[in-house]
Amino acid sequence: MQPNDLEGIARQIRRRDVQAVFEAGAGHIGGEMSATDILTALYFRVLRISPDEPKRPDRDRFVLSKGHVALALYVTLAKRGFIPEDEISTFLKPHSRLNGHPNCNKVPGVETNTGPLGHGLPVAVGMAKAAKLTGAGYHTYVMTGDGEMQEGSNWEAISAAAQFGLNNLTLIIDHNRFQQGASLADTNNLAPFGPKLTAFGWDVTEIDGNNMAEIVPALERRGDRPHCIVAHTNKGHGISFMQDRVDWHHKVPNEEQYKIALAELSEVN
């Protein structure tokens, strides 16, 4: 798919995400909006995957380390055919398999359980190392939040990936500049991330993470070292009253806000 096609799918995913948050009365809508473009590019262009064979051994792997934005992943998986689209309406309901964090034992297409921040990247390093040991040709992608990069386990994994020469690993940092309760600058600001990853021996690409024309070539890039994409995104992207507002980390829109959000997400820029 070309960038224009991907942008249309991303708008559909955002609209369904907002609807599900509104109906469930919960979610992490700000980070879901910032991550949607990257998820769309991965699942509709980049990843070598098959909804009919979600555990096919040679499939590419994607780990959503920032597991609290699971709803964006569920909507993407549904749009791609891994789960029924009408199942999104069960999000967070009793006995639903679509919980607040992804579960690989229940949801096809989820590679590993995530939720405790700082765990996804170490698991992804293990997946990439396993491919090297077995001669498998799959590529592993992992998305973290920028606040999540404050976890020390991530930097141990970054060091290990460079040591093992894992050029089959791509880390995407969703750099939307906000975490729960505060901006990154007001907590433990590790930005800029690029020079730090470079110092650890990684290749680094910095992009506008809400621009498909920049996202696609960055995700498809291959080299001889592990690759980090610092994706500069906007919390609440695409919705004027949410964008770059820390209180929309997990705030739920009221009915009026919901209607405004859907209308804005229907507009084609």
Side-chain angles (χ1 to χ4, degrees):
M1 285 193 177
Q2 298 305 309
N4 286 346
D5 302 314
L6 295 170
E7 288 166 2
I9 294 172
R11 282 193 298 274
Q12 294 172 22
I13 290 172
R14 282 194 172 93
R15 283 173 56 87
R16 188 65 186 92
D17 187 293
V18 170
Q19 180 185 353
V21 169
F22 177 70
E23 291 174 349
H28 288 81
I29 196 167
E32 288 156 12
M33 296 299 105
S34 68
T36 294
D37 294 305
I38 293 165
L39 291 174
T40 302
L42 281 167
Y43 279 89
F44 287 87
R45 165 134 179 176
V46 177
L47 292 175
R48 296 174 300 165
I49 52 172
S50 171
D52 296 327
E53 299 178 88
K55 293 295 185 182
R56 198 172 74 182
D58 64 347
R59 71 192 182 280
D60 288 337
R61 273 67 165 170
F62 172 69
V63 175
L64 181 66
S65 190
K66 49 179 291 182
H68 53 283
V69 302
L71 178 56
L73 177 60
Y74 297 150
V75 177
T76 305
L77 288 172
K79 198 75 177 169
R80 186 65 173 80
F82 282 86
I83 60 176
E85 289 198 58
D86 59 6
E87 189 174 354
I88 299 300
S89 62
T90 72
F91 177 61
L92 297 181
K93 290 184 177 179
H95 309 297
S96 172
R97 60 180 176 171
L98 304 185
N99 297 320
H101 293 85
N103 187 325
C104 66
N105 297 309
K106 296 182 178 181
V107 184
V110 174
E111 291 291 347
T112 189
N113 297 11
T114 54
L117 297 178
H119 286 196
L121 179 54
V123 171
V125 168
M127 291 176 174
K129 178 62 173 174
K132 289 289 188 182
L133 290 172
T134 61
Y138 64 80
H139 197 91
T140 300
Y141 296 85
V142 54
M143 179 189 285
T144 68
D146 49 5
E148 181 183 0
M149 294 303 294
Q150 296 162 2
E151 298 283 356
S153 52
N154 282 322
W155 297 96
E156 294 180 39
I158 287 166
S159 177
Q163 175 67 27
F164 296 146
L166 300 182
N167 63 334
N168 58 346
L169 175 67
T170 298
L171 163 65
I172 306 136
I173 301 176
D174 183 9
H175 191 12
N176 62 29
R177 307 179 308 284
F178 293 93
Q179 59 193 102
Q180 180 172 310
S183 69
L184 203 68
D186 292 334
T187 52
N188 182 12
N189 191 9
L190 294 179
F193 293 102
K196 296 176 177 65
L197 270 293
T198 299
F200 271 84
W202 285 52
D203 285 332
V204 176
T205 304
E206 305 229 11
I207 65 168
D208 177 348
N210 297 127
N211 183 336
M212 287 295 182
E214 296 187 26
I215 293 169
V216 170
L219 290 173
E220 293 180 341
R221 175 181 168 183
R222 298 290 182 266
D224 58 3
R225 296 187 290 176
H227 181 210
C228 174
I229 300 171
V230 181
H232 297 271
T233 62
N234 300 306
K235 196 95 164 180
H237 183 80
I239 304 171
S240 59
F241 60 86
M242 289 187 192
Q243 190 159 309
D244 297 334
R245 292 282 303 274
V246 68
D247 51 329
W248 283 101
H249 181 79
H250 49 45
K251 188 176 177 181
V252 177
N254 60 34
E255 187 169 358
E256 180 182 358
Q257 292 169 329
Y258 171 60
K259 292 177 180 177
I260 294 171
L262 289 186
E264 292 185 352
L265 291 172
S266 297
E267 296 173 0
V268 179
N269 296 327

